[in-house]
Amino acid sequence: WYQRRVREAVVSTQSTGGSPLEIPLDATTNQLQVLVNALLGAEEKYQFHVNDYEITDCLRKTLVQQENDISTENAIEIRYEPQAVFRVKAVTRCTSSMPGHGEAVINLAFNNDGTQLASGSGDASVRFWDLTTESPLHVCKAHKQWVLVIAWHPASRYVASACKKGDICIWDPKSGTHIGKNPLRPQEIHQLTRLATVTLF
C-alpha cells in the first residue's frame, strides 16, 4: 500500500524564485545534479536530502526509508547543498631552480628536517643542496654510471646513493666526503628504485 501511495505523490522542489517543480520518483542523484545546475546556471556538485535522509541513489529509495514521515498531501521538499570540492590547479610557473647537474636529475631525496636535498643524475654525480639559501653545498663523484637511488640516514648522518653499475656509495652530507662503497648486482639496484624508502643503515 505504501509503495502505491508514494508512487502517486507529487514530489516538488523549490527552484530559485520560481514555483515548485514536479520530479519523477525514479530521479537519480545525477539527474537532480543536472537539474539544479541548470536552474542555478552553475557547475557544482551537490548533496540532496529529504528531511534528514540523504538521497544516495534515487528519490524513491529515500522516500521508502521515511514511510511514516511522508504525507501525500504535501509537496516533498528536496534540499540541496554544495559539496566541498578541492580544485587543484596545474603549476604554471617555476618558483625556484638550482642549476648544476650536466644531465637529467633521476632521483632526489630530502633530509629529515627538509633543509637539505640530495640529487642523483645521469652525469653520475651526487649533489647536496642547501634549501634555505637555494645554493649548492657539495658535488660528489665516485659513480661511473647514472645515479638511480638516493637515501638519507633517518637522522641525516649519512646519504647512500646507488648507480646503474651496481655500486652503493656512502657520503657524509656535512662535508661531501665519500665514506665507502659496496657493490650490488644490477637487478638489486632496479629493485631499490621501486621502493619508496631504502633502509641501508
Side-chain angles (χ1 to χ4, degrees):
W1 175 79
Y2 175 73
Q3 288 283 1
R4 183 174 60 80
R5 190 178 70 159
V6 169
R7 203 174 298 125
E8 294 169 354
V10 176
V11 181
S12 304
T13 183
Q14 187 72 34
S15 63
T16 54
S19 58
L21 302 172
E22 289 191 7
I23 298 173
L25 289 172
D26 291 324
T28 64
T29 52
N30 288 339
Q31 292 168 329
L32 292 172
Q33 187 90 16
V34 171
L35 175 64
V36 172
N37 277 326
L39 291 171
L40 298 178
E43 289 188 19
E44 299 288 338
K45 299 275 294 176
Y46 299 97
Q47 284 182 335
F48 299 92
H49 298 268
V50 175
N51 297 326
D52 291 328
Y53 293 82
E54 182 181 354
I55 303 171
T56 56
D57 184 14
C58 75
L59 181 57
R60 182 187 306 276
K61 290 182 180 178
T62 305
L63 295 178
V64 168
Q65 294 173 351
Q66 306 176 62
E67 180 173 353
N68 297 325
D69 301 327
I70 298 293
S71 168
T72 57
E73 302 298 322
N74 299 320
I76 297 170
E77 182 181 343
I78 300 173
R79 290 183 297 107
Y80 61 89
E81 53 192 48
Q83 289 182 329
V85 178
F86 299 97
R87 293 183 176 86
V88 180
K89 293 184 177 178
V91 175
T92 57
R93 63 186 177 90
C94 177
T95 59
S96 179
S97 63
M98 298 182 292
H101 283 291
E103 297 289 338
V105 175
I106 298 173
N107 201 315
L108 50 85
F110 295 93
N111 68 344
N112 63 352
D113 64 4
T115 58
Q116 287 187 24
L117 179 70
S119 59
S121 169
D123 63 8
S125 71
V126 173
R127 291 178 182 251
F128 290 92
W129 308 87
D130 182 342
L131 296 180
T132 306
T133 61
E134 298 183 4
S135 59
L137 291 174
H138 312 293
V139 179
C140 307
K141 296 185 178 180
H143 292 292
K144 304 297 182 194
Q145 294 285 332
W146 301 347
V147 179
L148 301 177
V149 179
I150 299 281
W152 285 82
H153 179 275
S156 299
R157 288 198 296 263
Y158 308 105
V159 170
S161 60
C163 72
K164 184 179 177 183
K165 182 181 175 187
D167 292 334
I168 293 181
C169 294
I170 310 298
W171 309 94
D172 179 354
K174 291 182 181 176
S175 64
T177 307
H178 181 220
I179 298 171
K181 182 185 284 189
N182 292 315
L184 279 181
R185 294 190 303 274
Q187 62 267 27
E188 293 174 312
I189 294 295
H190 291 297
Q191 288 172 353
L192 289 180
T193 63
R194 287 193 291 269
L195 297 175
T197 57
V198 182
T199 305
L200 298 172
F201 308 100

